[in-house]
Amino acid sequence: MERKVTWETYDEGQMKELEALNREYRDFLDNGKTERECIDTIVNTIEAEGYRELESLIESGAKLQKGDKVYSVCMNKSIAMFQIGEKPLTDGMNILGAHIDSPRIDVKQNPLYEDSGLAYLDTHYYGGVKKYQWVAIPLAIHGVVVKKDGTIVELNVGENEDDPVFFVSDLLIHLAGEQLKKTAAQVIEGEALDLIAGSRPIRIDAGEKDEEGEEPDKKKAKEAVKAGILDILKENYEIEEEDFISAELEIVPAGKAREAGFDRSMILAYGQDDRVCAFTSMRAMLDVKETERTMCCILVDKEEIGSVGATGMHSRFFENAVAEVMNLNGEYSELNLRRCLAHSCMLSSDVSAGYDPSYASCFEKKNAAFLGNGMVFNKFTGSRGKSGSNDANAEYMAHLRKVMDEREIVWQTAELGKVDVGGGGTIAYILAEYGMNVIDSGVAVLNMHAPWEATSKADVYETYRGYMAFAEGAAL
């Protein structure tokens, strides 16, 4: 089958739109390196476009009408957006669903320690990572520390040019003979991903007393570097060591999203799985005008670890939000809720593995996604014999072909590598449990799950256009 090169289909006006969209996308990535930061950025953006908080409308007893735009946030880590359509909600919605969590390293609850003159933060990696990729690169700390009185302290250290950065050390090549004999999965152990946070001991003048009026003891002198870090945290953030217990601190690559290649045709950045699809889904929702069917965009947490927890797709947050919207619309009953979900169409907006010629043996070329060839549809994901897959119906795939072709969207189909080589999953199968039509669809990515991932600007733009076409035209 013929593959179209997306770049070759654009006129001058579309090229300007493409560049403008990708500038906004890079800003989105820079401002949203954690789930909480993504939610803050999204809420600020959609409120400026007329979206209102669902909870405030519930309190006021407002009624929803065609064209109304509402949103609901769950624990500052997930969000559901709705634009009410002309048809009853029982006829179903057109849903775009992505996730905003990405592989990273988390700080443990009792993390700070000193060893041989270096202060460390003990860590636990999150999601599927190649651990060796996270050593000897500049890292930043993002997150929140919640104190016992409920005060929330936000941290973002390592992104500004005058900020310090952090790093995980690696063994020098001169002594790495035994290390290099290990497999890639073992060359860096999970417990070896501790973050170096400082090396300067706190200055203790002769005869100086501590807070209890005592001379510093030997133990404190031995942990002078740790004491120095605690002193900085106290002075700059009013954080005590015990406050780490109620903190969510995420270690991510330091640095901004960048254009890549001499031709600036790609984006190189952290967290594009799956924030590239989250951004394009949100932007499509904002740019689509009134539609017959209600539109919904759900952006969730915890996909990288199984969509679990209160903010993951397995929770009842989405279902509850739909029920509240139907109630304000005068349509709610348990049966109507089930009808709404069963009659909905969804794109599980998630990335696909971009074909990489350097690792061609892992791909089946006829059924691989190529950078620059447009929006990707994955009829199924899973592993081995399609284990854990949604596997969309052929009728739904045919309907989407018609929708995309009528709007001249450049798209391609793919599988996640060769059969039996590996595999992966998305949130698609979870929404499919309601009986709705669901298929995975998104952007091809190189270096997926690495600290720095690559996408094509053209694919970002074409996927945005494809999501708009879906929101306007899907009605199976």
Side-chain angles (χ1 to χ4, degrees):
M1 289 184 284
E2 179 187 2
R3 290 182 180 272
K4 292 184 180 179
V5 177
T6 312
W7 292 102
E8 297 173 354
T9 67
Y10 298 145
D11 58 29
E12 184 177 349
Q14 288 176 310
M15 286 297 295
K16 290 181 179 178
E17 290 179 1
L18 179 152
E19 293 294 351
L21 181 75
N22 277 278
R23 280 194 297 272
E24 184 184 357
Y25 172 50
R26 294 198 301 276
D27 288 342
F28 178 83
L29 290 173
D30 293 341
N31 293 325
K33 285 196 169 183
T34 70
E35 305 88 335
R36 290 175 182 265
E37 290 175 354
C38 282
I39 293 299
D40 287 345
T41 301
I42 291 165
V43 168
N44 290 338
T45 301
I46 66 177
E47 285 188 342
E49 300 270 359
Y51 275 78
R52 295 178 292 168
E53 189 175 15
L54 179 61
E55 285 69 21
S56 64
L57 297 178
I58 294 171
E59 290 178 5
S60 66
K63 298 298 182 183
L64 293 179
Q65 301 176 3
K66 175 187 173 182
D68 284 344
K69 304 173 182 179
V70 298
Y71 74 91
S72 180
V73 171
C74 180
M75 298 182 181
N76 295 319
K77 295 178 184 177
S78 295
I79 187 169
M81 303 159 51
F82 302 88
Q83 180 172 312
I84 306 303
E86 182 177 343
K87 290 185 175 181
L89 277 160
T90 49
D91 285 2
M93 302 179 290
N94 288 348
I95 304 169
L96 295 168
H99 66 93
I100 52 176
D101 63 318
S102 293
R104 60 178 189 261
I105 302 175
D106 285 342
V107 175
K108 290 183 179 180
Q109 268 53 65
N110 184 18
L112 187 59
Y113 69 96
E114 179 180 335
D115 191 348
S116 305
L118 295 172
Y120 291 87
L121 290 176
D122 202 354
T123 69
H124 194 139
Y125 65 92
Y126 172 98
V129 300
K130 293 179 177 178
K131 295 184 284 291
Y132 64 80
Q133 293 179 330
W134 289 78
V135 300
I137 62 173
L139 299 168
I141 298 177
H142 293 239
V144 297
V145 178
V146 185
K147 305 175 76 172
K148 284 193 293 186
D149 64 0
T151 302
I152 298 177
V153 181
E154 295 185 3
L155 268 71
N156 184 336
V157 185
E159 300 297 349
N160 295 328
E161 289 187 4
D162 58 349
D163 277 355
V165 294
F166 308 88
F167 65 98
V168 177
S169 64
D170 193 10
L171 184 62
L172 66 162
I173 186 65
H174 311 74
L175 302 178
E178 291 300 317
Q179 182 193 46
L180 295 175
K181 295 177 183 177
K182 297 180 179 180
T183 65
Q186 298 172 323
V187 69
I188 300 293
E189 300 287 348
E191 286 291 351
L193 287 174
D194 290 356
L195 194 74
I196 295 181
S199 65
R200 181 190 298 173
I202 192 170
R203 180 174 178 178
I204 304 174
D205 294 330
E208 185 178 335
K209 308 285 187 179
D210 61 18
E211 292 180 358
E212 286 76 30
E214 301 291 336
E215 296 280 353
D217 57 25
K218 292 182 179 179
K219 181 178 180 182
K220 184 172 182 181
K222 287 182 179 179
E223 295 185 340
V225 177
K226 174 183 174 180
I229 300 300
L230 288 171
D231 194 54
I232 292 169
L233 293 175
K234 176 69 174 177
E235 180 179 351
N236 293 343
Y237 305 102
E238 289 295 318
I239 295 173
E240 306 283 354
E241 183 173 8
E242 288 192 357
D243 291 329
F244 280 113
I245 294 172
S246 51
E248 291 179 359
L249 298 176
E250 302 179 12
I251 299 164
V252 300
K256 294 182 179 296
R258 301 287 296 273
E259 294 173 303
F262 284 118
D263 56 5
R264 298 176 179 266
S265 61
M266 295 170 286
I267 302 295
L268 188 69
Y270 165 70
Q272 297 199 73
D273 176 9
D274 183 34
R275 291 172 188 143
V276 64
C277 295
F279 169 77
T280 45
S281 295
M282 176 198 71
R283 190 72 257 171
M285 278 282 292
L286 296 178
D287 291 347
V288 169
K289 305 306 177 186
E290 292 185 358
T291 58
E292 289 190 348
R293 284 160 66 96
T294 292
M295 291 186 299
C296 173
C297 178
I298 174 77
L299 307 175
V300 294
D301 181 26
K302 299 292 189 291
E303 191 274 348
E304 297 293 357
I305 58 171
S307 296
V308 294
T311 55
M313 196 66 245
H314 275 298
S315 82
R316 294 293 181 91
F317 162 65
F318 170 65
E319 185 179 327
N320 292 344
V322 175
E324 294 287 4
V325 168
M326 295 188 75
N327 192 52
L328 294 184
N329 206 33
E331 293 187 63
Y332 176 74
S333 71
E334 183 65 18
L335 180 58
N336 281 348
L337 174 62
R338 300 299 161 197
R339 286 172 174 169
C340 171
L341 296 172
H343 295 159
S344 293
C345 294
M346 181 187 179
L347 294 186
S348 173
S349 311
D350 211 337
V351 296
S352 189
Y355 179 81
D356 191 336
S358 297
Y359 303 96
S361 63
C362 294
F363 296 87
E364 196 271 285
K365 203 168 184 178
K366 300 190 307 303
N367 291 285
F370 289 78
L371 262 66
N373 281 190
M375 181 180 184
V376 184
F377 285 102
N378 289 86
K379 186 176 182 295
F380 54 86
T381 54
S383 58
R384 301 178 302 279
K386 300 186 181 181
S387 176
S389 173
N390 165 57
D391 205 352
N393 276 356
E395 291 86 348
Y396 187 42
M397 184 73 245
H399 176 63
L400 293 175
R401 287 173 59 196
K402 183 173 184 291
V403 169
M404 297 300 154
D405 289 349
E406 286 179 346
R407 289 161 177 79
E408 298 183 334
I409 305 300
V410 178
W411 56 275
Q412 56 185 318
T413 61
E415 294 187 20
L416 193 60
K418 280 185 176 179
V419 178
D420 288 339
V421 168
T426 68
I427 65 172
Y429 75 97
I430 304 169
L431 276 299
E433 291 178 357
Y434 291 113
M436 69 176 72
N437 279 298
V438 185
I439 192 170
D440 287 298
S441 176
V443 177
V445 175
L446 292 181
N447 313 336
M448 192 188 297
H449 280 213
W452 295 91
E453 298 169 319
T455 56
S456 165
K457 286 182 178 180
D459 293 339
V460 175
Y461 178 60
E462 201 65 15
T463 299
Y464 154 76
R465 293 182 66 237
Y467 289 165
M468 287 187 65
F470 167 80
E472 294 171 334
L476 190 62

